[in-house]
C-alpha cells in the first residue's frame, strides 16, 4: 500500500508539472500573438505545435511525455468545423502498469473580443451533441480561459467554472475531465490513431498527449 501511495503522489507531481509547463507555453504564445493579425485557427495550431516542441520526450517524475500535434490542410478546415462545431480534438492517455486512461475532448476557440454569439451558440450546440466533454477556449492577451460547453448559454459564457488549459489537461489525466468514448485507438501508432479520431469527429486540429509510467 505504501508503494501504491508513493506512485500516486509521484504521478500527481508529474501531472502538476505538465500543467504548469502548458500554462507557461500558453501565456507566452498569447503575449506574442494576441495583438498580431493571427487568426483563431492559426493560433490554435501554434499553441499545439509549441506544446509538442516543449513537452515531447520530456521525462517528469518517472513518467515519459509524448506529444503529437496534427492538422489538416486549410482547404477542408471550414466545412469540417461547420459540421462538427469543434476545431480541436485532444487525446489524453496515461499508461501505467495495470492502469490506463484513454480519453478525449473537443474544443472550440474564440478571441475574447468576439461578438459572434449566434455562431458560438451553434458551434457549442453541435459539440454537445457529440460529447459533454467539450469546451470553449477564450484567447486573451496573457492566457486562455477554458469554459465547459455546459456553461455556454445562447452564446453567452459563464466563467464560474473556468479553468486554464493546463488544469484541463491535468484534470483529464486525473479522470475528472474528458470522455472515454473519445479515446483514440491505442493499437495504432499515435499519428494514425489521432488522424482517425480527427476524421471521425470532423475536426481539423488534433493534439495527442501521452504520459507513460515506469520509464525511470
Amino acid at each position: 500500500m505504501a508503494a501504491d501511495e508513493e506512485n500516486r503522489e509521484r504521478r500527481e507531481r508529474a501531472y502538476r508539472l505538465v500543467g504548469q509547463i502548458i500554462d507557461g507555453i500558453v501565456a507566452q504564445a498569447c503575449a506574442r500573438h494576441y495583438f498580431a493579425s493571427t487568426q483563431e485557427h492559426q493560433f490554435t495550431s501554434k499553441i499545439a505545435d509549441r506544446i509538442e516542441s516543449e513537452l515531447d520526450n520530456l521525462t517528469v517524475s518517472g513518467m515519459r511525455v509524448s506529444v503529437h500535434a496534427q492538422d489538416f490542410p486549410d482547404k477542408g478546415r471550414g466545412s469540417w468545423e461547420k459540421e462538427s462545431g469543434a476545431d480541436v480534438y485532444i487525446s489524453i492517455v496515461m499508461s501505467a502498469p495495470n492502469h490506463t486512461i484513454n480519453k478525449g475532448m473537443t474544443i472550440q476557440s474564440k478571441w475574447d473580443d468576439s461578438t459572434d454569439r449566434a455562431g458560438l451558440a451553434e458551434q457549442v450546440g453541435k459539440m454537445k451533441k457529440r460529447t459533454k466533454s467539450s469546451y470553449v477556449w477564450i484567447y486573451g492577451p496573457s492566457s486562455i480561459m477554458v469554459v465547459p460547453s455546459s456553461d455556454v448559454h445562447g452564446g453567452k459564457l459563464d466563467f464560474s467554472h473556468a479553468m486554464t488549459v493546463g488544469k484541463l489537461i491535468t484534470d483529464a489525466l486525473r479522470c475528472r475531465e474528458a470522455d472515454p468514448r473519445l479515446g483514440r485507438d491505442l493499437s495504432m501508432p499515435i499519428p494514425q490513431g489521432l488522424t482517425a479520431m480527427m476524421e471521425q469527429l470532423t475536426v481539423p486540429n488534433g493534439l495527442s498527449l501521452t504520459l507513460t509510467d515506469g520509464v525511470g
Side-chain angles (χ1 to χ4, degrees):
M1 293 298 294
D4 289 343
E5 181 63 27
E6 182 179 341
N7 282 331
R8 282 193 293 269
E9 291 178 357
R10 177 175 54 79
R11 291 168 191 160
E12 179 60 28
R13 289 195 298 271
Y15 301 160
R16 287 198 300 268
L17 181 57
V18 167
Q20 290 167 4
I21 293 172
I22 289 174
D23 283 338
I25 291 168
V26 166
Q28 291 175 2
C30 287
R32 182 174 180 180
H33 295 284
Y34 181 81
F35 294 105
S37 57
T38 310
Q39 295 181 351
E40 287 164 351
H41 70 270
Q42 293 172 326
F43 190 36
T44 299
S45 294
K46 290 178 184 296
I47 291 286
D49 288 343
R50 283 289 309 279
I51 291 174
E52 179 183 36
S53 64
E54 294 289 335
L55 280 175
D56 191 40
N57 289 323
L58 189 69
T59 298
V60 290
S61 298
M63 302 191 77
R64 186 179 67 248
V65 185
S66 302
V67 183
H68 183 82
Q70 195 156 303
D71 57 54
F72 283 104
D74 289 347
K75 184 177 180 181
R77 178 171 283 115
S79 60
W80 275 30
E81 185 177 339
K82 288 177 183 177
E83 181 180 339
S84 68
D87 53 21
V88 188
Y89 162 70
I90 300 180
S91 165
I92 300 293
V93 176
M94 197 286 285
S95 178
N98 303 315
H99 180 54
T100 298
I101 294 169
N102 180 22
K103 309 175 83 174
M105 62 186 89
T106 59
I107 309 294
Q108 171 60 228
S109 58
K110 293 291 181 187
W111 292 110
D112 62 356
D113 60 356
S114 173
T115 58
D116 185 14
R117 289 184 176 177
L120 179 60
E122 180 182 4
Q123 291 160 338
V124 168
K126 290 177 179 178
M127 288 198 299
K128 286 180 178 180
K129 289 180 180 179
R130 291 174 177 266
T131 177
K132 293 181 180 179
S133 296
S134 52
Y135 308 84
V136 179
W137 286 8
I138 305 299
Y139 295 155
S142 61
S143 65
I144 295 175
M145 296 300 293
V146 179
V147 177
S149 62
S150 56
D151 288 346
V152 182
H153 307 285
K156 295 182 179 180
L157 298 158
D158 178 355
F159 289 93
S160 59
H161 301 108
M163 65 190 95
T164 66
V165 176
K167 187 175 189 306
L168 175 65
I169 298 297
T170 54
D171 277 358
L173 290 165
R174 297 180 183 113
C175 261
R176 298 174 187 168
E177 301 287 347
D179 186 346
R181 297 175 302 171
L182 298 187
R184 60 178 171 81
D185 187 345
L186 299 184
S187 69
M188 302 171 67
I190 291 175
Q192 288 89 330
L194 184 59
T195 296
M197 286 303 300
M198 291 166 67
E199 290 177 338
Q200 177 183 325
L201 296 168
T202 63
V203 173
N205 293 282
L207 180 67
S208 172
L209 189 144
T210 302
L211 268 65
T212 305
D213 203 358
V215 295

